[in-house]
């Protein structure tokens, strides 16, 4: 396995060991388990889910995964909201499959483990995340985009004033439609059907919302799209294909939405309309208005327990979201029919 790093080695013997690679590899001093002298010279600044992040590492594939997941900061230098420093150990070569991530917290400190040699620690008060990862995970760009980065923002988002909502999101000309619902309410299927009606696809299951410079912002990460097996019959691109993803004992599809379905992907938008989904087995389409209070209560149900300051920041975002036009959609039938009806109603809120 070839893993690319960039730094000047402080240990000539180990540098010679890795001289066949495309870059010189950083090392730690013998016996330095904490890697206190580890270098992370690759540093860039991103807009990550609405927060400004200084991201540093020693691994080029990891930096590429960050570039594919987050937006570059435009314009002059701005203040940084949080910092992330991930060092990849070129000597640790753990192999796939990776176990399920393990997350535990104590007050403002949260630990996440990904394999025996890969973990990160977040200090929510200092807004600082550090981590050490194996070479194999460092080289796995897909794993960063679909697992590690979502875990990172689940952990750190609230302390940055970011709310993680269990919803899908599509957008048209930067105006966003949030589809909120429990599991099996059809969020992902409707998001795909709406994207095929001309919306940009932002997210299918988790959307990060924040209040930035006097406006709401909804962001997604570059994760794969997950569809249940029964959703395949609704889209010709999936007809005749066998599901390959097994989650919780149920088969489904895990897809790159741009390549597998030809969808346009967008990174962020300004939410304009919230639709709460209630799905039935019978065909139908019934929209009814929800009050701000009822919408706020429904959104709060999905929040995790947070530190007091983070909970206050989250509630501000929830209140702003609840002030938007909010509706309850009771529906059933083909997602394409439902998507056409939603598209007509959405024009009122752009």
């Amino acid at each position: 396995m070839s893993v690319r790093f960039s730094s000047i080695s402080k240990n000539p013997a180990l540098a010679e060991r890795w001289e066949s690679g495309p870059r010189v590899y950083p090392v730690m001093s013998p016996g330095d388990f904490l890697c206190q002298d580890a270098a992370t010279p690759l540093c860039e600044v991103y807009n990550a889910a609405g927060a400004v992040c200084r991201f540093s590492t020693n691994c080029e594939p990891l930096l590429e995964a960050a570039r594919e997941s987050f937006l570059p900061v435009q314009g002059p230098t701005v203040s940084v909201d949080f910092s992330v420093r991930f060092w990849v150990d070129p000597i640790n070569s753990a192999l796939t499959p990776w176990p399920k991530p393990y997350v535990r917290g104590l007050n403002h400190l949260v630990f996440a483990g990904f394999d025996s040699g890969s973990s990160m620690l977040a200090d929510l008060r200092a807004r600082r995340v550090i981590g050490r990862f194996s070479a194999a995970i460092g080289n796995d760009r897909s794993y960063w985009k679909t697992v590690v980065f979502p875990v990172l923002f689940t952990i750190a988002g609230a302390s940055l004033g970011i709310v993680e909502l269990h919803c899908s999101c599509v957008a048209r000309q930067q105006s966003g439609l949030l589809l909120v619902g429990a599991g099996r309410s059809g969020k992902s299927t409707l998001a795909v059907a709406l994207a095929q009606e001309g919306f940009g696809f932002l997210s299918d299951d988790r959307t990060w919302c924040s209040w930035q410079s006097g406006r709401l912002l909804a962001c997604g990460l570059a994760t794969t799209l997950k569809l249940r097996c029964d959703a395949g019959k609704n889209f010709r691109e999936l007809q005749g294909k066998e599901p390959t993803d097994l989650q919780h004992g149920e088969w489904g599809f895990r897809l790159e939405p741009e390549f597998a379905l030809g969808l346009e992907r967008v990174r962020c938008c300004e939410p304009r309309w919230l639709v709460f989904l209630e799905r039935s087995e019978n065909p139908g389409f019934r929209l009814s208005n929800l009050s701000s209070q009822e919408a706020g209560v429904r959104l709060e149900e999905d929040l995790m327990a947070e530190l007091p300051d983070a909970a206050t920041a989250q509630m501000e975002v929830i209140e702003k979201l609840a002030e938007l036009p909010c509706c309850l959609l009771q529906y059933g039938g083909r997602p394409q029919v439902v998507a056409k009806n939603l598209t007509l109603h959405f024009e009122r809120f752009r």
Side-chain angles (χ1 to χ4, degrees):
M1 176 179 294
S2 174
V3 186
R4 293 174 290 154
F5 298 83
S6 177
S7 183
I8 297 177
S9 175
K10 299 180 182 179
N11 186 318
L14 282 177
E16 181 178 358
R17 175 179 175 181
W18 292 94
E19 65 182 358
S20 60
R23 294 292 185 271
V24 179
Y25 291 72
V27 299
M28 61 181 180
S29 301
D32 183 9
F33 177 79
L34 296 178
C35 311
Q36 295 182 57
D37 63 348
T40 53
L42 305 174
C43 183
E44 294 184 350
V45 180
Y46 304 111
N47 185 322
V52 178
C53 169
R54 178 185 290 111
F55 189 95
S56 63
T57 183
N58 61 322
C59 179
E60 290 184 359
L62 170 50
L63 191 69
E64 291 169 6
R67 289 169 178 164
E68 293 167 1
S69 299
F70 312 128
L71 295 170
V73 171
Q74 304 291 344
T77 303
V78 295
S79 60
V80 172
D81 296 313
F82 73 115
S83 65
V84 175
R85 183 174 183 262
F86 288 156
W87 183 75
V88 177
D89 182 356
I91 300 175
N92 187 323
S93 56
L95 300 177
T96 57
W98 317 126
K100 184 178 179 180
Y102 175 90
V103 180
R104 290 293 184 271
L106 178 64
N107 298 324
H108 62 288
L109 299 176
V110 183
F111 170 88
F114 300 92
D115 71 5
S116 60
S118 302
S119 60
M120 65 183 174
L121 180 68
D123 184 332
L124 302 182
R125 288 179 181 162
R127 296 185 174 184
R128 180 170 177 256
V129 184
I130 57 174
R132 172 180 177 172
F133 291 87
S134 68
I137 283 187
N139 201 39
D140 192 340
R141 287 160 55 187
S142 176
Y143 189 74
W144 283 97
K145 293 190 291 183
T146 60
V147 177
V148 182
F149 288 151
V151 169
L152 170 64
F153 279 94
T154 294
I155 291 172
S159 65
L160 302 168
I162 299 171
V163 175
E164 180 184 1
L165 293 181
H166 190 198
C167 71
S168 60
C169 182
V170 295
R172 178 171 284 180
Q173 296 177 354
Q174 296 301 307
S175 295
L177 164 58
L178 296 178
L179 302 171
V180 188
R184 298 184 178 275
S185 61
K187 299 184 299 297
S188 300
T189 303
L190 276 183
V192 172
L194 284 161
Q196 292 182 336
E197 283 291 313
F199 285 80
F201 178 85
L202 189 141
S203 62
D204 74 311
D205 185 61
R206 293 286 170 177
T207 305
W208 281 265
C209 297
S210 59
W211 178 251
Q212 302 285 335
S213 303
R215 69 186 185 102
L216 284 166
L217 187 68
C219 297
L221 296 179
T223 56
T224 49
L225 165 67
K226 294 171 288 185
L227 290 173
R228 289 191 168 84
C229 185
D230 59 358
K233 66 180 183 295
N234 295 307
F235 305 105
R236 59 179 176 78
E237 295 88 348
L238 300 180
Q239 291 174 4
K241 294 187 177 181
E242 293 295 325
T244 58
D245 185 53
L246 182 63
Q247 295 287 331
H248 308 295
E250 182 178 8
W251 287 99
F253 300 93
R254 187 180 289 271
L255 311 162
E256 294 285 350
E258 306 99 314
F259 306 115
L261 297 171
L263 307 184
E264 176 195 358
R265 191 152 206 169
V266 296
R267 297 288 191 88
C268 61
C269 68
E270 184 174 353
R272 297 290 189 182
W273 189 27
L274 271 68
V275 176
F276 294 83
L277 302 178
E278 289 185 4
R279 186 181 182 183
S280 69
E281 296 298 324
N282 300 318
F285 185 94
R286 183 173 181 269
L287 268 178
S288 54
N289 293 327
L290 283 180
S291 67
S292 295
Q293 181 178 6
E294 174 63 19
V297 170
R298 287 173 177 254
L299 292 173
E300 287 179 47
E301 291 175 354
D302 198 39
L303 298 183
M304 296 186 295
E306 301 289 351
L307 296 173
D309 290 347
T312 299
Q314 280 194 321
M315 286 309 304
E316 180 183 9
V317 178
I318 292 294
E319 290 170 1
K320 296 296 183 182
L321 286 167
E323 291 173 1
L324 295 174
C326 300
C327 292
L328 171 66
L329 173 60
Q330 297 166 301
Y331 79 101
R334 286 185 55 78
Q336 288 81 1
V337 176
V338 179
K340 287 183 182 296
N341 283 323
L342 276 174
T343 300
L344 293 174
H345 286 276
F346 180 74
E347 296 301 319
R348 295 185 295 158
F349 305 110
R350 289 178 57 188

